[in-house]
Amino acid sequence: MAKMTVVELLDVFKGMTLLELSEFLKAFEEEFGVTAAAPVAVQAAADAPAVEAVEEQDEFDLILESFGDKKIQVIKAMREIIPGLGLKEAKDLVEAAPKAVLEKVDKDAAEAARIKLEAAGARAALR
């Protein structure tokens, strides 16, 4: 078979139906052990309008992972973080670790509470 130029190949492809092109693509992938899926997805993503890919999280949960070896200080910090929390409730909350302490709060409040708990000796995480 004589070598065809790219232009000639494109002319052949232009004359094919979508079903024929699909069959050709499958045969090409099998013959050469490649896939056209990744480049097509990349091209589609490049052609898509600029949309914010990841929406920034605006609500956080503060999880008390452990109270460490300074339980009394952590209980005091817990009562500062959650106003109106009694001593018994704060103790029960601290001893229930790992547990969500604050749920669906803004980042600044969650971060401030995490810092207070960690300063008291606890381990806490934002999620």
Side-chain angles (χ1 to χ4, degrees), residues 24-82:
F24 168 76
L25 182 61
K26 286 178 186 175
F28 186 88
E29 289 175 340
E30 288 174 10
E31 179 69 26
F32 296 103
V34 296
T35 180
V40 171
V42 170
Q43 183 62 34
D47 291 343
V51 176
E52 189 173 323
V54 177
E55 187 175 314
E56 187 175 330
Q57 185 177 354
D58 59 352
E59 290 183 338
F60 293 85
D61 295 340
L62 176 65
I63 310 297
L64 176 66
E65 294 177 344
S66 73
F67 54 81
D69 48 344
K70 297 181 179 181
K71 185 162 89 173
I72 294 173
Q73 285 82 357
V74 175
I75 292 171
K76 287 179 182 179
M78 189 65 67
R79 292 185 70 198
E80 289 176 20
I81 293 169
I82 305 174

